[in-house]
Amino acid sequence: MEQTRQLVDTIIEGIQEKKGQRIVVADLQEIDGAICRYFVICQGNSPTQVDAITDSVGEMARKSLGEKPTTVVGQENAQWVAMDYGDVLVHIFLPDVREFYDLEHLWDDAGLIQIPDLD
């Protein structure tokens, strides 16, 4: 459990490194049938920034914890990238795509933790 929480913290750090915004951590541990323990959701303002955030998260998780995602999808369009770390799924969106899919409200019975944007 502690290792999963460290992974979440490292993912947040990777997002913040590239100025990702509106970070939300959804704690799904108490949700029956949830596909993972945590969702980490954020956004970048352009496909280039979404791609940079994806790379930063992957690099920090690998260097800090030796963790690699089992799957990364969406990087070719960089509108919605999903990174699967088993217990943690990372979703990196463009703002309009994030608003359309509204994952936070799909999981609104989960505990949602808002991470303040860095200046």
Side-chain angles (χ1 to χ4, degrees):
M1 184 63 90
E2 179 61 30
Q3 185 176 358
T4 301
R5 191 61 217 172
Q6 281 183 308
L7 179 58
V8 169
D9 291 344
T10 301
I11 289 166
I12 291 168
E13 188 179 337
I15 294 166
Q16 291 174 329
E17 176 72 22
K18 296 300 178 183
K19 307 282 192 254
Q21 299 176 324
R22 294 187 51 219
I23 303 169
V24 174
V25 178
D27 184 343
L28 307 174
Q29 295 179 89
E30 302 299 320
I31 309 294
D32 288 337
I35 58 175
C36 63
R37 291 184 178 172
Y38 295 95
F39 272 8
V40 179
I41 305 165
C42 72
Q43 66 189 46
N45 291 318
S46 68
T48 302
Q49 187 181 18
V50 168
D51 197 43
I53 292 167
T54 303
D55 291 344
S56 179
V57 167
E59 186 175 325
M60 284 202 166
R62 186 176 69 357
K63 285 184 176 178
S64 297
L65 304 171
E67 295 279 351
K68 293 181 182 179
T70 57
T71 309
V72 178
V73 294
Q75 208 165 5
E76 53 284 336
N77 293 327
Q79 294 183 23
W80 175 7
V81 175
M83 304 175 79
D84 184 350
Y85 284 93
D87 284 341
V88 182
L89 288 178
V90 183
H91 299 275
I92 308 164
F93 289 98
L94 288 176
D96 58 332
V97 178
R98 181 180 186 169
E99 187 176 321
F100 180 80
Y101 287 101
D102 201 13
L103 290 185
E104 292 94 332
H105 287 98
L106 285 177
W107 295 99
D108 64 359
D109 50 345
L112 298 179
I113 303 162
Q114 310 280 336
I115 308 297
D117 289 343
L118 298 181
D119 292 331

